[in-house]
């Protein structure tokens, strides 16, 4: 059952939305010259401009009331303090402890977790330094030149995204690759250019039982053993896992297993030993800067008043767009090629966390629940799906991420990137009126029926909301802060909707579903299927 106060707060927002929907953002900007300072906030070097959201000052007040009714601050504090807020798995939720650079004690079941966190960080540092300085070699004594991370989902997307985003910090002497898909093409194509003698595999799996990861890990093991002999395997494999028993059974010494804990959710695990490929790529000092940036955002989230709190504002504005204004998807549009994997990572964090149909007490969700998250970097998207953002009959709130300076400037490319990003949000907001279209076509020499026929096609309704995050440059510290900002915003949304943002039974289901069909494919007895599945299975077998 939804709490009565929360229900009332949502009802008030919806009633207020009916009035806001009648206004146009263009007019709101024309009438209020303070709209930009009024609706911007800043923390950790990130400016959040939410003035192009379809809101008024009353909207913010009503969202603050919703936050109070939903008890967001109390639940946030419970999370940071190690309470078992993941009730369906009876677990604490402490990715924030992994980046707790102030090192203040964080207790789970009366036990401070910080000594263990620091112990694993120290082991990661030692290993990272040894691989990077060449003292930790492969079995033949040759320096390691390539690391392959084998993992999937939370054990892949986060570190893969960060390694790509921080490529200017990467060592040119150590290339880091990622294999996730059980499709052998993934492993095949990755191994093709590699030499077993100079390759190190990181098997990253919280459970160490995931079908895809274990299949790929066994394939990699065979590749090394075939080339260098069975005795060489140990020198070319390390594990990141919570399951020491399965790691040993696979043949990796637990001395070279980097542990983490059940209170680290997969999609929140890049801050743990799952971040080992990041540290290998950019070095441990830079990995620590990533943690520092996230920690600064954690502190901001814990202490800033709601109206100046970036994760609170982002989460609440999304709830507003979804529940009161009727949006069902959000386009996440980094104007940064090196953030090309940011949206896929956030898609997992968001959709796996809040894609839920029931509230904490098991009753069906009453409000919202997770939106569809999609998008890809600008300016590429402008030449593709932005058409629908500008003229489609669905309003899709957009979130832009933009750095003021490029880490790899060439000519005036970055200025053009900025110009395009700002032009997109302006055009989405303003639109183009019939009069403006007519004037434009007239200037181009058109008139009469031909001009009138074209007007509706060149009309842009505008009033399409967006939020822009602007920061100096995409370094490790900023990236850490941006990821943490999004993690917490997702938590804020889940709290408003009263869902458990930290379980993932839909993903667990996927881990079981294929097993009986696999058995049939490999000669086991036939199961009972619908006609479509049975027909496809028969075709595959023939
Ligand atoms: C993340 C999910 C899921 C998980 C993968 C890999 O929150 O639970 O994406 O990370 O299924 O699981 P393992 O790390 O256990 O292999």
């Amino acid at each position: 059952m939804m709490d009565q106060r929360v229900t009332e707060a949502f009802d008030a927002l919806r009633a207020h939305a009916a009035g806001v929907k009648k206004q146009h953002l263009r007019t709101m900007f024309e009438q209020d010259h303070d709209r930009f300072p009024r609706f911007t906030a800043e923390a950790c070097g990130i400016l959040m401009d939410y003035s192009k959201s379809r809101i008024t000052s009353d909207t913010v007040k009503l969202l603050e009331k919703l936050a109070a009714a939903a008890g967001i601050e109390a639940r946030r504090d419970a999370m940071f303090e190690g309470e078992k807020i993941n009730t369906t798995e009876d677990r604490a939720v402490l990715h924030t402890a992994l980046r707790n650079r102030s090192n203040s004690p964080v207790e789970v079941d009366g036990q401070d977790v910080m000594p263990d966190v620091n112990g694993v960080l120290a082991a990661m540092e030692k290993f990272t330094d040894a691989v990077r300085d060449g003292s930790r070699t492969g079995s033949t004594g040759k320096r390691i030149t390539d690391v392959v991370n084998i993992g999937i989902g939370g054990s892949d997307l986060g570190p893969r995204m960060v390694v790509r985003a921080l490529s200017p910090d990467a060592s040119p002497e150590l290339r880091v690759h990622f294999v996730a898909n059980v499709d052998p093409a993934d492993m095949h194509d990755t191994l093709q250019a590699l030499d077993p003698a100079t390759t190190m595999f990181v098997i990253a799996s919280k459970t160490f039982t995931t079908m895809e990861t274990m299949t790929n890990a066994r394939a990699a093991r065979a590749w090394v053993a075939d080339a260098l002999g069975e005795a060489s395997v140990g020198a070319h494999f390390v594990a990141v896992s919570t399951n020491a028993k399965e790691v040993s059974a696979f043949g990796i010494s637990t001395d070279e297993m980097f542990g983490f804990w059940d209170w680290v959710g997969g999609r929140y695990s890049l801050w743990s030993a799952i971040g080992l490929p990041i540290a290998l790529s950019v070095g441990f000092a830079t990995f620590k800067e990533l943690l520092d940036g996230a920690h600064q955002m954690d502190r901001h989230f814990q202490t800033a008043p709601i109206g100046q709190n970036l994760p609170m504002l982002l989460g609440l504005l999304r709830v507003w767009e979804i529940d009161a204004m009727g949006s069902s998807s959000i386009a996440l549009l980094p104007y940064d090629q090196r953030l090309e994997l940011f949206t896929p990572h956030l898609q997992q964090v968001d959709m796996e966390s809040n894609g839920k149909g029931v509230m904490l007490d098991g009753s069906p969700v009453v409000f919202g629940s997770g939106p569809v998250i999609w998008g890809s970097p600008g300016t590429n998207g402008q030449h593709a799906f932005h058409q629908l953002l500008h003229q489609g009959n669905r309003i899709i709130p957009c979130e832009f991420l933009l750095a003021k300076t490029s880490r790899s400037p060439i000519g005036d490319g970055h200025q053009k990137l900025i110009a395009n990003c700002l032009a997109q949000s302006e055009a989405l907001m303003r639109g183009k009126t019939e009069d403006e279209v007519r004037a434009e076509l007239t200037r181009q020499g058109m008139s009469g029926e031909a001009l009138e026929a074209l007007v509706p096609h060149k009309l842009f309704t505008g009033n399409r909301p967006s939020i822009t995050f602007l920061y100096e440059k995409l370094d490790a510290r900023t990236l850490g802060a941006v990821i943490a900002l999004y993690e917490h915003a997702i938590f804020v949304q889940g709290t408003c909707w009263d869902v458990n943002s930290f379980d993932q039974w839909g993903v667990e289901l996927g881990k079981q579903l294929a097993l009986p069909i696999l058995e049939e494919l490999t000669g086991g007895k036939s199961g009972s299927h619908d006609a479509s599945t049975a027909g496809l299975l028969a075709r595959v077998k023939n």
Side-chain angles (χ1 to χ4, degrees), residues 152-155 205-207 210 265-267 348 352 504 507 511:
I152 197 164
S155 301
S205 174
K206 182 172 170 180
T207 54
T210 304
R267 54 197 175 276
Q348 180 194 22
E352 204 170 303
Q504 56 285 312
V507 174
K511 292 189 180 187

Side-chain angles (χ1 to χ4, degrees), residues 89-295:
E89 295 182 310
D90 193 29
R91 288 174 183 167
V93 176
L94 275 181
H95 44 282
T96 51
L98 301 165
R99 56 204 192 204
N100 173 19
R101 307 304 297 154
S102 65
N103 214 15
S104 52
V106 180
E107 290 191 357
V108 176
D109 293 329
Q111 202 57 32
D112 182 11
V113 300
M114 289 314 297
D116 284 349
V117 168
N118 292 329
V120 173
L121 284 174
M124 285 170 69
E125 180 167 18
K126 197 168 154 214
F127 178 75
T128 300
D129 288 351
V131 173
R132 286 169 62 93
D133 69 19
S135 55
R136 170 67 161 87
T137 64
S139 58
T140 64
K142 281 192 184 166
R143 192 186 177 110
I144 300 295
T145 58
D146 292 89
V147 170
V148 182
N149 188 81
I150 299 180
I152 197 164
S155 301
D156 168 74
L157 286 163
R160 191 195 282 255
M161 180 271 284
V162 174
V163 166
R164 173 72 181 106
L166 298 183
S167 57
D169 297 313
S171 160
E173 289 176 341
L174 191 64
R175 289 171 296 272
V176 177
H177 315 263
F178 291 85
V179 171
N181 202 326
V182 75
D183 178 349
D186 200 3
M187 182 61 97
H188 173 271
D189 294 355
T190 306
L191 294 186
Q192 224 172 15
L194 305 185
D195 173 0
T198 56
T199 301
M200 169 79 70
F201 291 91
V202 176
I203 313 299
S205 174
K206 182 172 170 180
T207 54
F208 228 72
T209 55
T210 304
M211 178 209 274
E212 293 90 334
T213 301
M214 298 326 296
T215 304
N216 284 326
R218 280 190 287 272
R221 194 183 195 289
W223 183 73
V224 171
D226 285 352
L228 305 172
E230 185 65 30
S232 296
V233 167
H236 292 267
F237 283 81
V238 295
V240 178
S241 187
T242 58
N243 190 344
K245 195 165 148 244
E246 289 296 329
V247 168
S248 297
F250 182 83
I252 298 175
S253 155
T254 45
D255 293 345
E256 296 222 298
M257 169 181 139
F258 301 89
F260 57 115
W261 308 273
D262 71 356
W263 41 261
V264 185
R267 54 197 175 276
Y268 299 93
S269 65
L270 70 90
W271 320 101
S272 72
I274 290 289
L276 188 64
I278 304 173
L280 287 164
S281 174
V282 299
F284 204 76
T286 306
F287 181 67
K288 276 200 297 200
E289 279 175 27
L290 181 82
L291 301 184
D292 276 338
H295 179 59

Side-chain angles (χ1 to χ4, degrees), residues 519-531:
E519 210 180 304
E520 282 179 55
L521 276 175
T522 49
K525 70 173 171 28
S526 300
S528 100
H529 297 288
D530 60 86

Side-chain angles (χ1 to χ4, degrees), residues 11-70:
D11 288 346
L13 276 168
R14 285 176 173 183
H16 170 68
V20 174
K21 278 179 188 163
K22 292 185 190 134
Q23 303 177 52
H24 197 290
L25 270 169
R26 184 196 272 228
T27 324
M28 290 183 186
F29 271 99
E30 282 163 4
Q31 289 174 351
D32 177 5
H33 295 290
D34 288 335
R35 195 169 167 86
F36 179 75
R38 195 187 313 287
F39 296 131
T40 44
E42 197 161 0
C44 309
I46 302 164
L47 175 77
M48 174 179 176
D49 170 19
Y50 57 102
S51 61
K52 291 194 188 94
S53 301
R54 297 178 289 177
I55 55 166
T56 67
S57 296
D58 285 342
T59 318
V60 178
K61 285 187 199 129
L62 288 171
L63 286 171
E64 285 174 342
K65 278 194 183 155
L66 171 65

Side-chain angles (χ1 to χ4, degrees), residues 355-368:
K356 307 286 161 64
V358 295
M359 297 191 289
L360 285 169
D361 68 0
S363 58
V365 288
V366 180
F367 299 105

